[in-house]
């Protein structure tokens, strides 16, 4: 029993979003914007608020003084206000209009960036549902219907996200394409067995 509890607690500590982000940024700091540039932080997922607060602490500790814009999208009940950040709640696991509005806000922010700007993306589980941005020809209602069918089909999360990334403007590399030419640094907190980056959010 003691060994099982020790392993359980070690697993929880290793997956704690705050320390994980602080450690990652201490080992490999996010590039600072050059003069005239600014930093944009997009945090999405169930761990988004904790990751965003830890990132802000780490950036401040590193002396990062770039003007920053923060948008945090997470699930209901996890969306307590954070000073200086635009924190939004959205539907999970089925996307909703709040998530679609948040996705449009993210797209608008990223589309306005230039080569001197820097993006820090903080990604955690749940991001696929929380930030729906249907590709041309699809509606939010289409994405809701597809999500419900996938969830009821017995498909694994990797299979579900594989389908959803082809229906989204932000997933499957879409965030990078929209942010270009601004470089993007991503910290990705895994919630899937095997930690396959292709199927996380």
């Amino acid at each position: 029993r003691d060994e099982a509890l020790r392993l359980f607690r070690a697993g929880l500590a290793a997956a704690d979003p705050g320390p994980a982000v602080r450690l990652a940024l201490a080992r490999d700091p996010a590039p600072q914007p050059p003069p005239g540039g600014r930093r944009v932080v997009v945090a999405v997922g169930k761990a988004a608020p904790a990751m965003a607060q830890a990132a802000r602490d780490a950036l401040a500790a590193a002396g990062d003084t770039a003007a920053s814009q923060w948008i945090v999208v997470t699930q209901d009940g996890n969306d307590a206000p954070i000073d200086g950040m635009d924190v939004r709640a959205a539907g999970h696991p089925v996307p909703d209009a709040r998530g679609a509005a948040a996705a449009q806000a993210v797209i608008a922010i990223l589309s306005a960036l230039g080569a001197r700007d820097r993006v820090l993306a903080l990604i955690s589980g749940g991001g696929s549902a929380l930030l729906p941005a249907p590709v041309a020809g699809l509606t939010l209602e289409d994405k809701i219907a597809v999500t419900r069918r996938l969830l009821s089909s017995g498909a694994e999360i990797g299979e579900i996200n594989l389908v959803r990334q082809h229906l989204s403007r932000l997933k499957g590399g879409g965030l990078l394409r929209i942010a270009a030419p601004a470089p993007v640094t991503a910290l990705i907190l895994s919630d899937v067995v095997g930690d396959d980056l292709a199927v996380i959010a």
Side-chain angles (χ1 to χ4, degrees):
R1 182 177 184 275
D2 288 345
E3 180 67 3
L5 284 172
R6 186 185 71 79
L7 293 170
F8 175 73
R9 291 181 182 124
L12 286 180
D16 189 323
V21 167
R22 285 190 287 271
L23 178 61
L25 289 175
R27 288 178 176 170
D28 189 12
Q32 288 201 30
R38 64 193 180 104
R39 182 185 304 288
V40 168
V41 182
V42 177
V44 59
K46 290 176 277 188
M51 293 180 78
Q53 291 184 85
R56 183 165 64 183
D57 292 345
L59 291 172
D64 192 320
T65 58
S68 299
Q69 183 173 4
W70 300 72
I71 183 165
V72 179
V73 186
T74 192
Q75 83 275 27
D76 285 309
N78 195 32
D79 57 328
I82 304 172
D83 287 345
M85 299 187 192
D86 178 4
V87 181
R88 302 179 183 216
H92 178 276
V94 177
D96 63 11
R98 296 173 301 162
Q104 288 305 311
V106 168
I107 289 170
I109 292 167
L110 297 179
S111 298
L113 298 179
R116 291 181 175 274
D117 300 317
R118 299 291 181 266
V119 178
L120 177 60
L122 306 172
I123 311 296
S124 57
S128 292
L130 291 165
L131 217 57
V135 295
L138 291 182
T139 65
L140 175 61
E141 289 69 28
D142 293 329
K143 290 206 73 171
I144 290 170
V146 169
T147 300
R148 285 184 170 145
R149 288 191 180 189
L150 287 169
L151 290 172
S152 65
S153 72
E156 296 181 358
I157 187 61
E159 297 168 321
I160 291 173
N161 282 354
L162 182 62
V163 172
R164 290 198 289 201
Q165 74 179 6
H166 291 289
L167 308 180
S168 172
R169 294 174 60 197
L170 282 169
K171 290 177 271 296
L175 186 148
L176 294 175
R177 289 188 291 273
I178 294 169
V184 177
T185 299
L187 298 183
I188 303 171
L189 185 67
S190 174
D191 66 338
V192 296
V193 175
D195 302 334
D196 183 354
L197 296 183
V199 300
I200 300 169

